[in-house]
Amino acid sequence: MIWLLLAAVVVIGVWLLRNILPVHGLTPIRPDDLKVIARDQEDIKMLDVRDPVDYLREHENGTVNISLGRLPYLWKKELSTSEPVVILGGSSRQSKQAARFLKRVGFRQLYIIKDEPGRKNRQGQTGTTVCCSDCCR
């Protein structure tokens, strides 16, 4: 019985660490920095990993929507490992999961929009930013 409890604690600990620790090679940027990066690198892709329903409700023009669950199967159709990718997600956990997968398959230039406290999305909610436009300020 003690071994089962110990195993559960280890599994929960590993899960917590994976969600808390940063992803090596993932560069957090502010929405304003995204405009500079996009201007300097024409081949940059913006990947939205939210579910299609959330994506259709609000999204940035020019983004590619591949939900997190479909990413392992569809990334080759829309993305190339040589292109820089900005990951947009409904939460930092979603974005980190997508970044871990993309790093595993060979992506080297990965960016994530940094959370800015007090910044609001289009629904007026504060928290994780999925919108990069000036309309969300």
Side-chain angles (χ1 to χ4, degrees), residues 50-59 65:
R50 296 177 297 157
D51 290 331
V53 173
D54 294 329
Y55 177 78
L56 289 174
R57 192 175 310 133
E58 78 169 311
H59 64 273
N65 177 238

Side-chain angles (χ1 to χ4, degrees), residues 1-15:
M1 181 67 177
I2 193 77
W3 293 107
L4 185 59
L5 183 61
L6 184 60
V9 168
V10 168
V11 168
I12 291 171
V14 168
W15 181 82

Side-chain angles (χ1 to χ4, degrees), residues 69-124:
R70 296 172 53 210
L71 189 59
Y73 309 104
L74 299 178
W75 71 269
K76 289 181 183 178
K77 290 184 180 181
E78 298 287 343
L79 305 172
S80 169
T81 57
S82 62
E83 297 173 327
V85 176
V86 177
I87 302 169
L88 305 171
S91 68
S92 62
R93 184 184 60 78
Q94 274 186 335
S95 299
K96 284 180 181 180
Q97 279 184 303
R100 281 190 185 94
F101 171 77
L102 292 174
K103 288 286 291 182
R104 210 171 25 245
V105 296
F107 284 81
R108 297 292 170 243
Q109 292 179 299
L110 295 173
Y111 302 94
I112 185 175
I113 302 297
K114 187 188 322 183
D115 290 342
E116 293 182 353
R119 187 177 176 92
K120 296 184 178 186
N121 62 17
R122 289 184 179 153
Q123 278 83 32

Side-chain angles (χ1 to χ4, degrees), residues 31 58 116-137:
E58 78 169 311
E116 293 182 353
R119 187 177 176 92
K120 296 184 178 186
N121 62 17
R122 289 184 179 153
Q123 278 83 32
Q125 302 165 332
T126 58
T128 302
T129 307
V130 292
C131 180
C132 308
S133 302
D134 293 330
C135 65
C136 299
R137 295 180 194 250

Side-chain angles (χ1 to χ4, degrees), residues 36-48:
V36 174
I37 292 170
R39 187 173 53 235
D40 293 343
Q41 299 180 10
E42 295 176 6
D43 60 344
I44 194 165
K45 290 280 189 165
M46 291 180 57
L47 172 66
D48 193 323

